[in-house]
Amino acid sequence: MLKIEEVDPHVKSYLYDIGYHRWSRVHATVYRTFTMTSNIAESLNAVTKEARELPIFDLLEYMRTLLERWTKEKLLKAKGTFTYLGYKFNKELDDNNTLSQKLRVRASTDHIHTVLDGVKRYIVCLENKKCSCGQFQLDELPCAHALAALRHMKETYENYCSPYYTRKSLLLTYEMPVNPLPDESKWDVPQHILDEVVKPLAGDKRQPGRPHKERYKTFDEIKSKKYKVSCGNCGGEGHNKRTCKNAPKKK
């Protein structure tokens, strides 16, 4: 909060006003783990910015091919993971393991341990998967203090991680494919759907003045737009500096 206040005091006041439960993992009524958003709406908005100009059918097809590609990429990445946990969580565990090497452990019972980090002490309960630092129970991943206690007990970390972080869960997440769509001529559309006539909204009046957009762009136009290269001399498209008519002549 002190760092936020240095950047902009208004942001600090805003976060206090809306309540801890809206942004803080510690004060949340449910575990937010490593994700602070509830969906991927903003990610989809960013990658479909231009596609939203398409007619509804082309937009849906664009979304389908996008999810098809994403699912395949994530599945290949999961299959290429050979650790018990996924890449992101395995790296977090490795970092915690490095920090745990300098800690000293004093066992109270088979499950409760006191972990000493210099002059600071932390209480770890392996049975309830909790640590007084709060990280163990919130992240559902052993913190440095828990890993030190596990090493003292000569136990492995597998039984103390959330099952959602495992490679097995990643494979199950992306095992259902986004199937390709056949050509329109092969569609089996019920007759009652073909007979339907979609009319414009009643009372939908056109606003005065020239419309901002003359027409919808096609899927191919939007796709090819990403690969157009502008000329370094005049800024035009379809040619480069070597073929530009406005390029300065060599002496």
Side-chain angles (χ1 to χ4, degrees):
M1 273 300 185
L2 291 174
K3 291 180 179 179
I4 291 175
E5 190 176 23
E6 290 175 1
V7 177
D8 190 342
H10 296 92
V11 176
K12 178 183 176 182
S13 300
Y14 170 75
L15 291 176
Y16 277 136
D17 290 341
I18 64 174
Y20 291 106
H21 66 284
R22 295 186 180 274
W23 52 269
S24 172
R25 285 190 292 147
V26 177
H27 293 83
T29 55
V30 295
Y31 292 157
R32 295 184 188 273
T33 61
F34 293 92
T35 305
M36 297 300 290
T37 55
S38 59
N39 52 52
I40 62 170
E42 294 304 323
S43 298
L44 287 173
N45 284 338
V47 297
T48 59
K49 182 177 180 180
E50 294 180 336
R52 279 178 280 174
E53 299 179 8
L54 294 170
I56 184 64
F57 170 78
D58 290 331
L59 173 60
L60 291 174
E61 176 60 10
Y62 181 93
M63 296 291 294
R64 189 199 62 78
T65 56
L66 178 68
L67 294 175
E68 181 183 39
R69 176 168 59 84
W70 279 0
T71 301
K72 181 62 177 177
E73 289 175 356
K74 296 292 185 181
L75 181 61
L76 287 175
K77 188 173 182 179
K79 287 182 176 179
T81 301
F82 300 101
T83 52
Y84 177 74
L85 300 178
Y87 172 79
K88 177 180 179 180
F89 306 105
N90 192 70
K91 184 179 183 304
E92 183 75 16
L93 194 72
D94 286 342
D95 293 341
N96 290 343
N97 189 48
T98 301
L99 295 173
S100 71
Q101 300 298 324
K102 63 178 182 179
L103 305 179
R104 293 178 294 135
V105 181
R106 186 172 64 237
S108 298
T109 67
D110 289 342
H111 303 292
I112 299 176
H113 299 74
T114 301
V115 180
L116 304 174
D117 183 6
V119 296
K120 295 182 179 180
R121 66 176 64 186
Y122 300 89
I123 309 301
V124 176
C125 179
L126 296 177
E127 184 177 22
N128 297 325
K129 301 178 183 178
K130 290 184 177 181
C131 177
S132 58
C133 74
Q135 186 179 345
F136 191 5
Q137 56 267 35
L138 287 170
D139 291 346
E140 298 187 58
L141 193 74
C143 60
H145 316 110
L147 287 172
L150 289 171
R151 185 167 56 251
H152 181 78
M153 296 293 294
K154 296 182 180 180
E155 286 192 47
T156 58
Y157 63 85
E158 284 86 350
N159 294 329
Y160 298 90
C161 301
S162 170
Y164 297 115
Y165 301 160
T166 63
R167 176 181 180 271
K168 181 180 178 181
S169 293
L170 286 174
L171 290 171
L172 291 174
T173 301
Y174 300 105
E175 70 172 354
M176 184 178 294
V178 178
N179 293 316
L181 190 67
D183 185 75
E184 188 174 354
S185 61
K186 304 294 184 182
W187 292 359
D188 184 15
V189 183
Q191 188 60 41
H192 71 277
I193 298 295
L194 292 173
D195 293 339
E196 280 193 13
V197 178
V198 180
K199 297 181 180 180
L201 294 174
D204 187 15
K205 296 181 180 180
R206 179 177 175 179
Q207 297 297 323
R210 185 176 179 180
H212 295 289
K213 297 177 182 178
E214 295 181 358
R215 64 176 181 86
Y216 289 110
K217 296 178 183 178
T218 63
F219 177 78
D220 293 333
E221 284 177 327
I222 289 181
K223 188 176 180 182
S224 62
K225 184 179 179 181
K226 298 179 181 179
Y227 303 98
K228 286 185 178 180
V229 179
S230 299
C231 174
N233 288 320
C234 65
E237 297 180 345
H239 61 275
N240 53 36
K241 295 173 68 174
R242 296 176 59 186
T243 60
C244 181
K245 295 180 180 180
N246 299 324
K249 297 181 180 180
K250 294 182 180 180
K251 296 182 179 179

